[in-house]
Amino acid sequence: MKFFLKVILSAVFFSTIASCSKEYEVPQDLVINDFVWKGLNAYYLHQEEIADLADLRFNSDNQLNAYLNTFTDYNALFSNLLISSDVKSTLIEDYTTIVDPESRAAFTNGLEFGIIADPSSDVDVLGYVTHILPNSDAANKIIARGDYFFAIDGIQLTRLNYEDILLNGSNNFALEMVDFDGTRTTPNLKTVLLEKRNYTYSTTFLDKIISVNADNIGYLVYNNDFSNEYIVDLNNTFLSFKNQMVNKLILDLRYNILGGSSAHNVAELASMISEQNADATLIKEEWNAKAQLWFLENQPDSLVTKVPKTVGESVNINSLNITDVYIILNGDNFTGSSSVELLINSLKPYINVHIIGNQTSGNNTGAITLYNSEDYDFPLRNETHTVALQPKVLSFLNKDDQTYENGFTPNIPLCENEDVLNLGIMGENSDPILNNILEYISTGVAVSNTNCNLNDFEYLYNSMDTQRVTDTGVVIKQNLPNPK
């Protein structure tokens, strides 16, 4: 029985398909449209809110086909079947492009920077260094966070030319430096020669131990995604923290690029941060009503993610026995990725999670990849096309059934942009953001800086913004019902 075969997930619904024929085959010109409709009808989180996805919307195969024929473009059908606010569900034209992230690499000189308008000019701009990538060309030069530059190879940077010269220009150039007091720029005759090279990013930008009173604080600046590519190296960093008796953790995500997130990887990271019993629940899943019913009746354990004890099948997770984690989300329009929010929610029942930065956006849903097969898995897929779906299929909850569709409010709000006149040194007390957190840890008093951009600088560009990937949500793996 092929009509509604993947739609009905429990015997309760079998009465809706009494008129179906076992010999029915989907017309070739409707194969993808049929797949789109049935996949969303079966698993889309908001299925009950879409009239055209209702189980009783069509009484026969012919009625469904007539509806599908009104859409000449399966993309239009897909869009028509989503709620208006859904920007996460995606249709993938070619599933061969779905690959696990590889080690992050770039052709770069290692300079990360921002651009502001020169307050003394209507046309000129000023660059400031946010950080230097370790082991890059710039790391071997006399240039550091908080330095300023105004020209390249003798050409003044302006609003009109800085992208062409700085971003898309020569692979080798002389960066001309300047002193800046917030009002005036004064060329200091210092020149830094930079060369772009092939560069592979290290797993962590910076990790160190900071002692405050009786606390041994692990400070971790993480600037990559949360994919499998880095999880083992992260585990090694946590082993170093564990060996040094870390009892609090600062996870600095100011320069995190998002992406690559899966619920399994988030659970592994949560286990590294907080040591819990293997039976402890980190994540619960809530699907649409009929999918939830099927899972509860047939495989209830698949709706719960317990605390993992290994990375993969054999590498023991190095868990910290900590009571507090401090997560920095500061950055231009950076409200934390889906994976970060899932991490926060999963840890909240067990330890104190302190959010430093912005209100998070509330990405509390997960997606799954559906292929055009009887069980929506890859092996039995229809090989006449390469379309796959990644719709929102569930909401995430924690052990206490708490979710986060409204996001998380920070314990210490931060300005949207760092103060270009007082950046300090990453990992040192001179960094105002880090110093503020260390004071918070020491005194228990959260003090936020509400005096943002007192000089009224016009922020034009930040090199991290172009590196952050589109956050399409957390992807999960789930065994779906096999009709056979």
Side-chain angles (χ1 to χ4, degrees):
M1 184 173 295
K2 295 186 177 181
F3 179 65
F4 289 160
L5 195 55
K6 281 84 71 175
V7 177
I8 305 307
L9 303 175
S10 173
V12 173
F13 301 106
F14 282 170
S15 61
T16 67
I17 56 173
S19 62
C20 303
S21 167
K22 292 184 178 181
E23 289 73 33
Y24 172 76
E25 292 188 6
V26 178
Q28 286 302 307
D29 61 334
L30 292 178
V31 165
I32 301 178
N33 285 23
D34 181 84
F35 162 53
V36 168
W37 189 89
K38 290 179 179 175
L40 293 179
N41 171 272
Y43 292 112
Y44 185 42
L45 180 61
H46 305 286
Q47 181 259 342
E48 295 178 21
E49 303 172 45
I50 305 297
D52 283 345
L53 284 178
D55 293 333
L56 301 180
R57 171 68 173 83
F58 307 106
N59 294 323
S60 66
D61 300 319
N62 289 335
Q63 283 191 9
L64 174 61
N65 290 345
Y67 168 78
L68 298 178
N69 264 316
T70 64
F71 297 90
T72 57
D73 183 350
Y74 50 80
N75 284 285
L77 171 64
F78 181 77
S79 298
N80 187 70
L81 294 175
L82 304 181
I83 62 171
S84 59
S85 60
D86 185 358
V87 296
K88 297 294 184 183
S89 296
T90 57
L91 181 148
I92 299 168
E93 294 283 355
D94 184 358
Y95 53 65
T96 64
T97 62
I98 304 174
V99 294
D100 291 331
E102 298 179 349
S103 295
R104 183 177 166 215
F107 188 60
T108 179
N109 52 39
L111 174 71
E112 300 289 3
F113 60 92
I115 297 289
I116 61 171
D118 186 336
S120 64
S121 169
D122 292 332
V123 296
D124 296 337
V125 301
L126 182 67
Y128 60 96
V129 180
T130 59
H131 56 295
I132 300 295
L133 297 177
N135 303 314
S136 66
D137 179 64
N140 298 316
K141 306 296 172 63
I142 304 177
I143 186 171
R145 175 176 166 86
D147 288 345
Y148 307 99
F149 56 91
F150 76 108
I152 289 180
D153 293 333
I155 301 175
Q156 170 72 53
L157 296 175
T158 70
R159 292 173 180 268
L160 296 179
N161 71 13
Y162 80 85
E163 291 190 26
D164 288 337
I165 296 176
L166 186 56
L167 308 181
N168 306 316
S170 173
N171 295 333
N172 305 277
F173 55 72
L175 200 65
E176 298 182 35
M177 312 305 289
V178 67
D179 295 328
F180 178 57
D181 63 5
T183 304
R184 296 181 302 274
T185 56
T186 306
N188 57 23
L189 303 181
K190 177 183 173 182
T191 299
V192 180
L193 300 177
L194 295 177
E195 177 184 354
K196 290 182 179 180
R197 299 173 180 172
N198 292 321
Y199 181 81
T200 300
Y201 291 79
S202 56
T203 296
T204 61
F205 176 79
L206 173 66
D207 57 84
K208 64 180 295 187
I209 305 297
I210 303 173
S211 296
V212 175
N213 299 328
D215 290 317
N216 229 21
I217 303 166
Y219 178 61
L220 173 61
V221 183
Y222 186 70
N223 61 330
N224 287 308
D225 60 37
F226 293 98
S227 65
N228 289 330
E229 189 66 27
Y230 302 106
I231 202 73
V232 172
D233 285 344
L234 274 175
N235 194 43
N236 292 333
T237 299
F238 277 84
L239 175 60
S240 175
F241 283 164
K242 184 175 183 178
N243 289 339
Q244 296 178 78
M245 307 297 289
V246 162
N247 67 325
K248 285 183 170 63
L249 176 69
I250 299 175
L251 181 59
D252 193 338
L253 302 178
R254 270 180 276 185
Y255 308 127
N256 181 247
I257 64 167
L258 317 179
S261 56
S262 72
H264 182 71
N265 290 348
V266 170
E268 289 176 335
L269 180 55
S271 182
M272 294 176 201
I273 293 173
S274 175
E275 185 174 15
Q276 302 295 332
N277 187 284
D279 291 330
T281 295
L282 279 176
I283 302 168
K284 293 182 180 179
E285 301 172 7
E286 186 171 4
W287 296 59
N288 69 36
K290 61 185 176 183
Q292 188 78 2
L293 177 62
W294 189 92
F295 288 125
L296 287 172
E297 291 180 346
N298 296 277
Q299 50 189 53
D301 290 347
S302 70
L303 296 174
V304 177
T305 299
K306 302 287 188 178
V307 174
K309 290 299 179 180
T310 62
V311 174
E313 297 181 357
S314 58
V315 180
N316 290 333
I317 286 180
N318 301 305
S319 299
L320 302 179
N321 186 21
I322 66 173
T323 58
D324 295 81
V325 61
Y326 303 79
I327 301 178
I328 305 176
L329 300 178
N330 187 53
D332 182 16
N333 297 318
F334 179 36
T335 55
S337 67
S338 301
S339 53
V340 175
E341 289 189 299
L342 180 57
L343 176 68
I344 292 170
N345 197 58
S346 302
L347 287 173
K348 280 176 70 69
Y350 299 103
I351 64 174
N352 301 314
V353 182
H354 309 264
I355 302 169
I356 318 298
N358 303 326
Q359 174 78 24
T360 69
S361 52
N363 294 321
N364 70 324
T365 59
I368 193 168
T369 303
L370 302 177
Y371 300 94
N372 190 2
S373 67
E374 291 190 350
D375 59 358
Y376 292 106
D377 208 350
F378 186 78
L380 299 177
R381 70 197 181 281
N382 185 325
E383 297 186 9
T384 64
H385 67 88
T386 59
V387 172
L389 308 179
Q390 283 188 340
K392 290 196 301 181
V393 297
L394 58 88
S395 296
F396 290 114
L397 302 91
N398 63 20
K399 177 183 77 72
D400 296 332
D401 293 324
Q402 298 166 325
T403 190
Y404 46 98
E405 71 274 11
N406 296 320
F408 296 104
T409 300
N411 299 84
I412 302 179
L414 294 176
C415 297
E416 184 174 298
N417 295 286
E418 295 182 80
D419 183 358
V420 299
L421 297 177
N422 185 26
L423 291 173
I425 301 173
M426 293 289 292
E428 304 291 338
N429 290 68
S430 60
D431 175 1
I433 293 176
L434 177 58
N435 186 64
N436 199 355
I437 298 172
L438 295 177
E439 288 289 331
Y440 178 36
I441 293 173
S442 177
T443 66
V445 179
V447 179
S448 59
N449 177 19
T450 57
N451 298 319
C452 299
N453 199 12
L454 295 178
N455 297 81
D456 198 28
F457 293 134
E458 183 183 357
Y459 290 82
L460 301 174
Y461 177 83
N462 189 294
S463 60
M464 287 307 304
D465 290 343
T466 57
Q467 297 177 57
R468 289 191 172 119
V469 301
T470 300
D471 182 18
T472 56
V474 176
V475 176
I476 68 157
K477 292 185 178 180
Q478 176 70 280
N479 291 325
L480 300 179
N482 188 328
K484 293 184 178 181

